[in-house]
Amino acid sequence: MRRLGRSEGRGWRERAGTAEGSGRGGWAWRCVRLVLVVAVTVAALLAPSASRLLAAGTGNAASPTGGAGGRRTADDAVPAIARTWPVGVRPPVLRGWEPPATVYGPGHRGVDLAAPPGTPVRAVADGRVSFAGRVAGKGVVAVELAGTGDPPLRTTYEPVRASVPEGAEVTAGEVIGTVEAGGSHCTAACVHWGLLRGEAYLDPLSLLPPWLLHRGPSRLLPVLGVPLP
C-alpha cells in the first residue's frame, strides 16, 4: 500500500473535515426547520377559528327590539335623518342612552321620552313597519328606516298601541300609534325609543340633526312698532 505524502495527507484531512462540517450543518438546519414546523402547527391548533369569533360577535337571533344584546361598534355610523321627534316637539328626556359595558351588563338601551298616555307617536323618518304587536305584554312598533344600509337601521317604540299594520310604508312625521297607559318602565308616563342596526344597540338621539335636537318649543315674539292687542 502506498503511503500518503505529507501534502496529500493534509489535503485529505481538510476535505474530510469540510465534509464532516457540512454534515453537521445540514443536520442542524433540519432540526431548526422541524422546530419551526411544530411551532406553527401548535399555534394554528390553539388559535380560535374565525367562525367561532364571528359567532361570538353576532349574538342571539334577531327580535323586534334586538334581544338581550347591547353591543355597539365604532363603525356604526348613524346618519342624522330624523325629521321629527317621536312625541311632542321637544319632549323631556327622562333617561338617556347608557350603553352597557358587556352584552348582558346593566345599562339603558335607548332613551325615555316623557309622554302621557294617548300621545300620538310618529315615525321619525321614512321607512317600513317591520313589527307591530306585543312583546312581553307591551305594545311595540318597529320601523326599518329607508336607505340606511344592510342591515338597515331600526327604530323601536314602546309601550305603543299600533295604528299601522306590519309591512306598511310610513313617512317622517306619520302617526304610527299612541302611548299606552301601562307597560312603561318609567316612574312617570313615557315612551321608550330605541335604535338598532342588526343586533347592535345605538343612541337614537344621534338620528336627530342639531337643529332638531336642540330646538325648543316655538315662542311668539313681539314685533317692534306693532301695539299689543
Side-chain angles (χ1 to χ4, degrees), residues 43-149:
L45 292 175
L46 294 179
S49 65
S51 60
R52 290 201 299 269
L53 291 176
L54 291 174
T58 53
N60 299 328
S63 67
T65 57
R71 295 162 297 282
R72 183 181 184 182
T73 66
D75 295 332
D76 287 320
V78 177
I81 58 174
R83 293 296 173 263
T84 183
W85 284 83
V87 290
V89 176
R90 176 61 172 85
V93 178
L94 302 180
R95 185 179 180 185
W97 159 253
E98 301 169 11
T102 61
V103 174
Y104 299 103
H108 192 230
R109 299 165 173 84
V111 295
D112 293 336
L113 306 177
T119 300
V121 179
R122 294 178 170 83
V124 298
D126 297 348
R128 182 185 66 85
V129 179
S130 59
F131 181 84
R134 308 196 73 78
V135 176
K138 295 185 295 183
V140 178
V141 178
V143 178
E144 291 182 351
L145 304 183
T148 55

